Amino acid sequence: MIGPFSIDLSVEVGGIKLRNPVMPASGTFAEGLEKVIDFNRLGALVTKTVTRELRAGNPLPRVVERPGSLINAIGIPSKGVPHFIEKIIPQYAAYDPPLVVSISAPTAEGFASLAAELTLPGVSVIEANISCPNIEEDGKAFAMRAESAEKVTRQLRSATKLPLWVKLTPNTGEIAEVARAVEGAGADAVVVANTFLSMAIDLKTFKPCLGNIMGGLSGPAIKPIVVRQVFQCAKSVKIPIIGCGGISSAEDAIEYMLAGASAVQVGTATFLQPAAMVSIIDGIEMFCLQREISSVTELVHGVVIEEADDQDLAWLSPPT
Amino acid sequence: MSLDHSSVTMQPAAAPSAPPPVPWKPSIVAEVAKVVANTAVNAEYRHLVVDCSEIAASARPGQFFQLLCPHPVGEQPFLRRPMSLYGADRTRRRVEFLYKVTGAGTRGLDTIEKGGTLDIMGPLGQGFTLDSKWRHVVAIGRGAGLATLAPLAKAAKANGTKVTAILSARRPELLVSVDIFKRHGADVVPVTDSEQTSGPGNVERILRGLIAEGRCDAFFTCGSIRLMRVQQRLAIEFGLPGQVAMEQQMACGIGLCYCCVRDFNVAGEIVNRRVCWDGPVFDLLEALP
Ligand SMILES: Cc1cc2nc3c(=O)[nH]c(=O)nc-3n(C[C@H](O)[C@H](O)[C@H](O)COP(=O)(O)OP(=O)(O)OC[C@H]3O[C@@H](n4cnc5c(N)ncnc54)[C@H](O)[C@@H]3O)c2cc1C
Ligand SMILES: Cc1cc2nc3c(=O)[nH]c(=O)nc-3n(C[C@H](O)[C@H](O)[C@H](O)COP(=O)(O)O)c2cc1C
Ligand code: FES
């Protein structure tokens, strides 16, 4: 192609404009990464989930690897809200990208009060990690069922004026219904998704590999499942979806966008390639340039589904 | 994508196209380094030498790298593996490692041939610090700790500090780093299990001798909890400072994930710290087994 062809990488995600669609996943990002990448290149900055309760986190070992994946049971070590406000939020004040603050609580009421308290200057978005156990429902995660997800989102909505993103769990069989319930309760976007509940056992000792016995699976191995979930949610809601799960290349990110994601979060890949997010941003731009796509938003929900008389049997049809 | 590392996007070697107004520079890089040598030094340890960037080659004693190990046949190590700096040459842009083949990751490292490549990430963590006032220090290592302590020899010499290195192993032929310490003028005291000289009792006797002769202004240690305890006791008894390099399983290596935490005793209070970020080198008296 001759002449300049400028690509607009910016996206609107749930009440906020991002300079590009790539941001870190909660719990896989901290100030240390600043030594490796320029934070000003990111679409947004996302903090590790904070809770009101002071927590020590889980017993060790906290991670175990499996082919193409990582199982973690870090827990949510938390030094509490005052520490978060005084020490963590200011760390990001000097950077341009908006700050997304991830929160969690054991009750809907707890979520709401935490969201209210963290509605502060310097905070651009509240991301509610509702994949955590709900003590009012016998420890079942809020995001497992539409009703509990709706209730907590409604309370959150009335507690903050900031854009509200709700992070879903992939462990439910009804993620599209949960996404719709969350949309109905006033969320500005959904993050699809958190980690898969999983387990690994050591064949030398017959003991679980993790101190916490079970943990959350992340990394490339989960990507096709979460791409499917983003696709299902995209058919079910109008609010933007942020895809998250196993993204380590620009191709992965684009696949998520084609399935229906307006933006993506990158987690585990950063542990293997600390500059992965920057490479992904550059790669998306290169892809758009090659395909002469002028705005990255053209990719969103760009998946081409051929109409078939019988959707379920389409794959069985003989080639014509 | 496949589950193989080769498809994980690498950081581009060149700088980003448009220079930002305030030039931002990385101080940690993940880069594909060229393997100059990868040879066995004894039945357990391999010596790995790579050509790298200036940033990587600026690593200091006690710092470490996270190595993205190739997949050996039938195994798929996923995470990077932490490995201490064994040697660094800033002018030749070279770093060295000394590793023991133990599992999938290090078995993968063992498959790399001279002329091949290895993705290294670093330099990482807080290394050792040498006080210019120290005339004579003691370094005590065992296992992988022998690799971790080795670069101290050169740094101490440059600092005008004399080193006594007490190097421990199961058998004399498994001792490593002896030559490095000797080359930089250190006194080397090998202690081994087979000769029954490596027990805490004997090491304490040696240390008390050095302290009495005024040849122990500080302790540096890595690789043995038993020997660390001996040094902690003596450090308290004689009011001596010390530093210990700790190990813990790691995922990110740069303080993001909190999988590498350990407890430390800071003025009577138990504090949780990340080995990769706050360490791996810690104050000897704050370390807990
Ligand atoms: C800061 C630091 C510096 C180190 N420096 C050296 C060195 O210079 N030379 C050397 O031989 N070894 C060193 N080690 C230990 C080295 O990291 C492990 O031997 C290596 O990770 C084993 O990987 P593997 O796949 O071969 O073994 P596996 O047992 O298959 O590893 C499984 C998992 O456990 C982790 N793991 C296993 N052993 C250790 C260990 N001792 N410490 C931390 N994680 C471990 C691995 O990283 C991996 O995630 C160091 C460890 C740390 C934390
Ligand atoms: C070590 C680790 C810690 C995590 N901590 C959090 C957390 O505190 N809050 C949260 O919402 N998700 C957390 N996650 C989940 C990630 O944000 C992300 O949803 C998940 O890892 C899937 O993306 P990935 O495959 O790109 O890693 C964590 C994941 C990992 C690997
Ligand atoms: S290895 Fe991730 S915080 Fe230390």
Side-chain angles (χ1 to χ4, degrees):
Chain A
M1 219 193 76
I2 301 160
F5 184 82
S6 82
I7 288 153
D8 183 5
L9 287 178
S10 69
V11 290
E12 282 276 338
V13 181
I16 190 159
K17 188 168 173 136
L18 311 179
R19 66 171 59 193
N20 68 60
V22 180
M23 68 188 100
S26 175
T28 66
F29 179 78
E31 78 286 4
L33 197 59
E34 216 274 327
K35 291 182 186 267
V36 195
I37 60 169
D38 180 0
F39 284 0
N40 285 331
R41 294 219 49 209
L42 302 176
L45 311 176
V46 184
T47 61
K48 166 100 186 150
T49 300
V50 62
T51 59
R52 192 175 292 289
E53 304 72 40
L54 300 177
R55 304 196 201 191
N58 285 328
L60 272 65
R62 290 179 170 186
V63 295
V64 59
E65 63 178 16
R66 282 294 177 259
S69 63
L70 176 69
I71 309 178
N72 89 80
I74 306 291
I76 300 184
S78 180
K79 293 185 180 164
V81 181
H83 176 266
F84 187 82
I85 294 173
E86 286 154 33
K87 295 274 153 49
I88 307 295
I89 296 177
Q91 279 175 0
Y92 301 105
Y95 303 105
D96 303 334
L99 183 66
V100 179
V101 165
S102 171
I103 63 167
S104 188
T107 62
E109 187 50 50
F111 259 107
S113 81
L114 191 51
E117 194 172 345
L118 290 171
T119 300
L120 294 170
V123 177
S124 299
V125 175
I126 298 287
E127 179 178 289
N129 172 13
I130 64 165
S131 313
C132 53
N134 174 358
I135 56 169
E136 290 157 336
E137 269 208 65
D138 218 14
K140 209 168 184 185
F142 293 90
M144 287 300 286
R145 291 175 40 250
E147 298 86 86
S148 45
E150 178 171 358
K151 182 180 170 213
V152 67
T153 308
R154 209 172 285 292
Q155 295 222 23
L156 277 161
R157 180 69 290 168
S158 57
T160 182
K161 287 197 166 54
L162 287 176
L164 174 64
W165 298 355
V166 176
K167 186 167 177 180
L168 308 185
T169 177
N171 295 313
T172 173
E174 43 193 270
I175 196 157
E177 289 82 349
V178 173
R180 188 159 36 219
V182 161
E183 175 181 47
D188 296 297
V190 282
V191 183
V192 178
N194 214 304
T195 52
F196 288 84
L197 193 61
S198 53
M199 182 170 176
I201 301 170
D202 186 330
L203 295 195
K204 278 196 215 97
T205 60
F206 286 16
K207 288 183 185 162
C209 296
L210 293 173
N212 189 52
I213 303 175
M214 290 180 278
L217 189 74
S218 64
I222 71 170
K223 196 193 75 179
I225 311 179
V226 188
V227 168
R228 179 267 295 174
Q229 294 183 323
V230 165
F231 177 69
Q232 290 178 314
C233 289
K235 288 201 289 191
S236 160
V237 300
K238 291 200 172 56
I239 52 173
I241 296 164
I242 298 149
C244 176
I247 297 172
S248 47
S249 66
E251 289 77 10
D252 295 339
I254 292 162
E255 200 178 338
Y256 266 98
M257 296 186 79
L258 293 174
S262 297
V264 294
Q265 294 186 342
V266 178
T268 307
T270 298
F271 299 169
L272 302 186
Q273 288 301 343
M277 286 186 281
V278 172
S279 306
I280 291 169
I281 296 164
D282 290 342
I284 294 174
E285 187 169 19
M286 188 61 73
F287 180 89
C288 291
L289 197 68
Q290 280 162 357
R291 303 280 291 239
E292 299 191 21
I293 292 167
S294 59
S295 163
V296 77
T297 56
E298 290 171 39
L299 294 169
V300 180
H301 212 359
V303 59
V304 177
I305 307 288
E306 301 271 320
E307 287 299 326
D309 290 345
D310 188 332
Q311 284 276 350
D312 289 340
L313 294 178
W315 63 277
L316 285 175
S317 314
T320 46
Chain B
M1 66 168 280
S2 88
L3 301 184
D4 216 77
H5 285 137
S6 55
S7 56
V8 174
T9 317
M10 302 289 172
Q11 183 179 16
S17 47
V22 184
W24 171 90
K25 273 212 168 105
S27 52
I28 294 170
V29 287
E31 61 180 293
V32 178
K34 187 151 178 260
V35 176
V36 180
N38 187 19
T39 48
V41 295
N42 61 31
E44 290 183 339
Y45 282 86
R46 305 274 184 285
H47 182 208
L48 174 67
V49 184
V50 303
D51 282 338
C52 60
S53 67
E54 196 178 346
I55 294 174
S58 69
R60 295 182 316 273
Q63 287 193 299
F64 69 103
F65 283 76
Q66 283 265 75
L67 310 183
L68 193 61
C69 306
H71 292 179
V73 174
E75 292 175 300
Q76 299 187 42
F78 181 71
L79 296 168
R80 286 176 180 265
R81 300 297 196 252
M83 222 42 89
S84 295
L85 178 79
Y86 182 60
D89 187 333
R90 235 176 150 145
T91 44
R92 287 167 79 194
R93 296 197 183 177
R94 190 164 267 199
V95 288
E96 300 173 44
F97 305 96
L98 195 70
Y99 67 95
K100 184 178 170 182
V101 177
T102 47
T106 46
R107 269 195 291 276
L109 282 184
D110 192 29
T111 65
I112 311 174
E113 293 184 9
K114 181 182 170 177
T117 58
L118 173 66
D119 186 326
I120 67 170
M121 167 185 166
L124 304 171
Q126 310 298 323
F128 295 110
T129 45
L130 273 166
D131 191 317
S132 57
K133 292 197 297 287
W134 294 336
R135 306 310 324 144
H136 202 133
V137 299
V138 178
I140 307 184
R142 186 175 164 96
L146 297 176
T148 310
L149 292 171
L152 261 183
K154 190 172 159 189
K157 192 179 178 190
N159 194 48
T161 305
K162 178 89 180 154
V163 179
T164 303
I166 302 175
L167 308 181
S168 170
R170 289 201 312 283
R171 298 190 303 276
E173 65 272 23
L174 296 177
L175 273 170
V176 288
S177 305
V178 176
D179 295 343
I180 288 204
F181 277 105
K182 282 192 176 156
R183 208 185 318 141
H184 293 103
D187 292 333
V188 174
V189 185
V191 293
T192 65
D193 301 358
S194 63
E195 298 162 310
Q196 293 176 348
T197 48
S198 59
N202 189 47
V203 172
E204 177 165 347
R205 193 187 54 77
I206 298 168
L207 286 174
R208 283 189 182 275
L210 290 167
I211 294 167
E213 292 165 18
R215 292 201 288 154
C216 180
D217 295 334
F219 296 102
F220 290 87
T221 191
C222 181
S224 166
I225 293 295
R226 287 198 309 170
L227 297 181
M228 178 183 88
R229 285 223 187 88
V230 171
Q231 293 166 82
Q232 286 177 325
R233 251 190 298 117
L234 294 174
I236 293 169
E237 187 178 331
F238 294 97
L240 296 169
Q243 293 162 36
V244 56
M246 309 286 281
E247 283 184 15
Q248 192 65 283
Q249 189 193 7
M250 293 181 180
C252 71
I254 44 173
L256 314 178
C257 73
Y258 285 83
C259 83
C260 66
V261 296
R262 288 186 86 111
D263 286 339
F264 291 85
N265 179 346
V266 181
E269 202 188 321
I270 300 299
V271 180
N272 218 231
R273 284 178 173 160
R274 290 163 288 181
V275 172
C276 74
W277 187 250
D278 303 309
V281 176
F282 294 94
D283 187 291
L284 176 65
L285 292 180
E286 291 178 354
L288 295 170

